Amino acid sequence: MQRSYDVVFVGSGVSSTYTLIHYADSLRQRVRCRESRVLVVEKSGDFWTGVAYGSRSGIGSLIISPLKEFLPPGELERFTGWLDLNRDHVFDEFRLRGGCLAQRWLDKNSAAIRTGDWENLYIPRHVFGDFLANRAKSAIAEASGRGLLSCDLLTAEVLSVQKLRDSYFVQARTADDAELRIETAKVILAVGSPPKRQLAAPADSVAGACLIADSHDPCLDETTRRLLTTFQSLPATVPRNVLLVGSNASALEVVYNLFSNSTLAEELDTVYVISPSGAPDHWTEARNKSTERGFEPRYIRTLAPDYRARDIYQAVQQDVALAKSQGFTRGDTVATISALLMSLVDGLSQAEQRKFVTTYGEAIGRIQRRAGGEYSELATRLISEGRIEFIAGKFIRAAAGDKGGISFWYCDDRPPGDRRPLAECSISDEKEQHPAQLAAVINCTGFQDLGETSSTLIQSLMASGVCVPTGSRRGFSVNEEFECAEGLYLIGPLLAGNLNRRLRVWHAESCSRLFQYSLNLGSILGGLSIGG
C-alpha cells in the first residue's frame, strides 16, 4: 500500500460508499483527468455497508420503513431491478441464518418476492448492504478500467487528521497496533454517528452476568450468542430477565433479533425496557385497515403567517395526534409532513431557522419515530404476553445481585399519574432499586453529543480546531461545499445542525437523505482538480 493519496475516505458506511460511487461517476464525465488515487479506511473491515447494512446489524434485522420510502426514485428503481435479477438467491443467507422470524418473513412475503412487488416490504438490512457493496465494486472497477481511479482498502482505526500547509496527514492504527501516517490532498470524513452514550457500570463489573456496553459491538449476532452463553452459565435461581437501556430503534432491533433465536426466545423470561419516556407508542402502532387514503395533515398547513420554529414543532405534534385518532401510525405521517417542512423552514427568519435545525427539527424526528411492520407486530404480541415491560425512568447503575444475577437502580420523581417525558421534568438524586433480578443488561442508548464523545478521532478534530461543533452539538459545521476546513469534507450523520445556503440539516440518518447529500458531494469532488 502506498502512503500518499489524492483522496482518503475515513469510514465506509452508506454515506461514504455513495459519495465514492458518485465521485467515480463524475470522473467519467470529465474530458481529461489523470488517475485519482483513493484510499478507504474502515475500522471494522466491513467495507461499503457500515453498521446499519452490514454484519454488525445482524442477519435477521430489517429496515424500519417500507422500501418505497427508503430510497429516492431513481436509486429505488435500480435496487428493485437488482432484486428482480437476484431474487432466487439473495435471501439464501437470511433463510439459513436469520432464525425463526426470518422464515416467517419469507413465508409472509413470498408472493410479493415472486411477483417483484418490493415497494411495501421491510427488507432485510444486509440485502441492501449486498446491493450497495455490489454497486461500489462495479463503480470502482469501471472507473479503474478507464484509468480514472485506483482504490485501496485499509482496515484500521483513524486516530487523527492533521492539517499541513497544502495537504493532510491521516494517522491510523491497525488491529496489530501498527501505526500508519498517510498523506492526502483531500479527506472525506464519513465516520457515521458518534459512539453510544456509556452506562455507569463497566462491562466487566458483574461477575457471571452479562453487561453489554454496545448492542452492535462487535455485532448483534454476537450479542445474541453472549446471552445464550450467559443463560447457560448462570444458576437456575437467576431469572432469565434482560434489561434494555433505551427504547429507540436499536432497542427494538435487539428485541427482534433476540426472539429470532428460538432457543433464546424459549429461555427468556422478561425483557425490561427503561427510558425517560416509558412505553413508546411507535413500538406497537398498527395501521387501521380502513384508512385507505393517505394521511392529510391539518395543523401544519394552517400555520399563522408569522409562524416561528416552535409553532412548526407544535403543529407537527398536533398532526401526529390527529393521525393517531384517525387510525394512522406515525410512519403514515412521515412522507407528507417531511415534504412540507423544508418550505416552512425556508419561510423562517435566519435566527428561527437556526433554532429549528439545532432544536426543533430533532424533536420532530423523535415525535415521528416509527417501527417496521414486523418489528411492531412482534413487540405488540410480546407486550400482550407480559414478556416486555416498560420502565419510565433514568438508568443509574447496575451491580451484583444477592442471588447471582444483576440488580439495577433508576430514578423517576414524577408525581403519581404524571406521564410527561422525564426531559420535561426535574429529576432528583433519589435512586430506587428495581425489584427485578437480571441476567443481562444491554446498552441501547442514543449517541453521545460531541461535548461528551469518547471517540479519539472526534476529540482530536475538535482539539486541533480543524472541526467546530454545530449549535446542536450533534455534528460539525461545514460550508456550502461540505467542507469543515479547506480540503476536509464531511458526509453522514455528523452533518446534523448545519444551516447555510445549500444545507438545512436537523437529522441526517435516513438513507434517502444521505443519498442526496452524497450525490452533491460526489459532484463537488469530481469538479475539483483532484488527480490533475
Side-chain angles (χ1 to χ4, degrees):
M1 188 191 78
Q2 64 190 45
R3 298 299 171 87
S4 178
Y5 291 87
D6 295 307
V7 189
V8 170
F9 285 77
V10 181
S12 182
V14 62
S15 56
S16 174
T17 301
Y18 268 129
T19 299
L20 180 54
I21 290 169
H22 296 316
Y23 174 47
D25 289 344
S26 68
L27 290 178
R28 291 201 300 270
Q29 299 171 25
R30 294 179 61 181
V31 177
R32 296 178 60 188
C33 68
R34 74 166 174 83
E35 183 180 76
S36 178
R37 298 161 301 171
V38 173
L39 173 67
V40 182
V41 187
E42 167 58 43
K43 178 181 177 181
S44 72
D46 212 356
F47 287 94
W48 316 128
T49 59
V51 174
Y53 308 106
S55 61
R56 283 175 284 178
S57 275
I59 290 298
S61 297
L62 310 173
I63 63 174
I64 61 172
S65 60
L67 192 53
K68 63 185 176 185
E69 298 176 18
F70 182 69
L71 289 168
E75 190 67 4
L76 176 62
E77 184 177 352
R78 185 190 295 266
F79 183 33
T80 54
W82 180 85
L83 287 170
D84 287 336
L85 290 173
N86 296 281
R87 80 179 88 220
D88 291 338
H89 61 83
V90 76
F91 298 108
D92 287 352
E93 189 173 14
F94 182 63
R95 178 182 293 105
L96 181 66
R97 296 177 50 215
C100 57
L101 296 182
Q103 188 58 56
R104 185 178 301 176
W105 186 93
L106 289 165
D107 293 343
K108 172 185 175 182
N109 297 303
S110 60
I113 293 170
R114 187 172 59 254
T115 60
D117 186 13
W118 305 106
E119 294 192 354
N120 291 308
L121 299 188
Y122 299 84
I123 64 159
R125 287 181 175 274
H126 81 93
V127 170
F128 175 69
D130 291 345
F131 161 77
L132 192 55
N134 180 271
R135 278 270 272 145
K137 293 171 185 176
S138 297
I140 292 168
E142 184 174 350
S144 178
R146 298 188 184 190
L148 299 173
L149 180 147
S150 65
C151 183
D152 291 337
L153 307 181
L154 173 64
T155 300
E157 179 182 7
V158 173
L159 304 175
S160 68
V161 176
Q162 303 164 22
K163 182 77 170 75
L164 305 177
R165 183 172 181 177
D166 298 315
S167 62
Y168 287 90
F169 263 135
V170 175
Q171 180 188 7
R173 183 171 58 210
T174 63
D176 58 2
D177 287 331
E179 297 278 347
L180 303 175
R181 281 171 62 85
I182 303 154
E183 187 172 4
T184 178
K186 309 290 178 184
V187 177
I188 314 300
L189 189 64
V191 295
S193 300
K196 289 185 177 181
R197 292 192 294 272
Q198 298 175 347
L199 301 183
D204 58 353
S205 64
V206 182
C210 186
L211 281 162
I212 297 176
D214 184 338
S215 56
H216 289 68
D217 184 16
C219 66
L220 198 44
D221 290 339
E222 178 60 25
T223 292
T224 301
R225 286 191 287 270
R226 283 188 63 186
L227 285 181
L228 277 171
T229 301
T230 298
F231 283 7
Q232 292 166 2
S233 64
L234 284 174
T237 54
V238 178
R240 271 45 180 173
N241 297 327
V242 173
L243 175 68
L244 305 185
V245 183
S247 62
N248 55 23
S250 69
L252 189 50
E253 188 165 270
V254 168
V255 169
Y256 192 80
N257 276 268
L258 297 186
F259 283 89
S260 289
N261 185 301
S262 56
T263 303
L264 190 58
E266 287 180 8
E267 292 200 33
L268 267 168
D269 291 323
T270 302
V271 175
Y272 294 94
V273 182
I274 184 168
S275 72
S277 58
D281 290 342
H282 68 280
W283 277 44
T284 56
E285 284 187 317
R287 194 169 190 264
N288 189 326
K289 300 299 183 183
S290 67
T291 53
E292 296 178 359
R293 297 174 57 189
F295 171 67
E296 287 296 326
R298 176 190 305 166
Y299 299 97
I300 199 170
R301 292 187 185 276
T302 56
L303 287 167
D306 58 346
Y307 66 87
R308 296 188 174 188
R310 182 176 177 82
D311 298 324
I312 298 175
Y313 167 69
Q314 291 175 333
V316 173
Q317 280 185 309
Q318 292 172 303
D319 275 323
V320 170
L322 175 65
K324 184 176 180 180
S325 72
Q326 295 176 349
F328 292 96
T329 70
R330 295 175 187 225
D332 294 326
T333 72
V334 171
T336 306
I337 289 178
S338 296
L340 296 170
L341 280 180
M342 192 58 74
S343 61
L344 289 170
V345 173
D346 287 343
L348 295 170
S349 68
Q350 189 75 4
E352 287 295 312
Q353 285 187 15
R354 191 158 298 282
K355 285 182 183 179
F356 189 88
V357 301
T358 58
T359 303
Y360 293 109
E362 184 183 356
I364 286 173
R366 289 194 296 269
I367 293 171
Q368 291 188 298
R369 279 179 180 166
R370 54 181 168 175
E374 284 81 7
Y375 282 14
S376 182
E377 289 171 8
L378 175 67
T380 300
R381 175 171 65 82
L382 294 174
I383 292 168
S384 69
E385 294 173 354
R387 301 191 71 185
I388 292 180
E389 292 187 18
F390 294 100
I391 304 166
K394 179 181 178 181
F395 175 84
I396 301 299
R397 66 183 178 90
D402 297 334
K403 300 178 181 179
I406 303 173
S407 296
F408 71 98
W409 285 256
Y410 73 109
C411 62
D412 176 8
D413 66 345
R414 292 174 297 181
D418 184 352
R419 306 318 301 163
R420 289 178 298 160
L422 287 178
E424 299 177 11
C425 310
S426 61
I427 298 179
S428 71
D429 291 331
E430 292 296 324
K431 302 172 183 63
E432 178 181 348
Q433 181 178 352
H434 195 276
Q437 282 285 298
L438 308 171
V441 176
I442 304 176
N443 183 13
C444 301
T445 56
F447 302 114
Q448 300 167 345
D449 69 34
L450 299 187
E452 63 179 3
T453 184
S454 58
S455 164
T456 301
L457 174 59
I458 292 176
Q459 289 175 353
S460 172
L461 290 167
M462 291 191 295
S464 67
V466 175
C467 293
V468 177
T470 59
S472 69
R473 309 290 292 179
R474 298 289 185 183
F476 288 135
S477 295
V478 299
N479 63 18
E480 295 166 24
E481 305 298 305
F482 293 85
E483 288 178 306
C484 297
E486 185 178 1
L488 175 61
Y489 299 85
L490 179 67
I491 192 70
L494 289 181
L495 286 171
N498 271 285
L499 175 65
N500 57 48
R501 283 189 296 178
R502 184 193 290 270
L503 296 169
R504 292 165 179 78
V505 188
W506 50 91
H507 185 74
E509 293 184 5
S510 82
C511 197
S512 182
R513 193 171 294 125
L514 291 174
F515 177 91
Q516 188 58 52
Y517 293 148
S518 66
L519 176 61
N520 294 339
L521 178 54
S523 299
I524 289 169
L525 293 171
L528 296 174
S529 56
I530 297 174

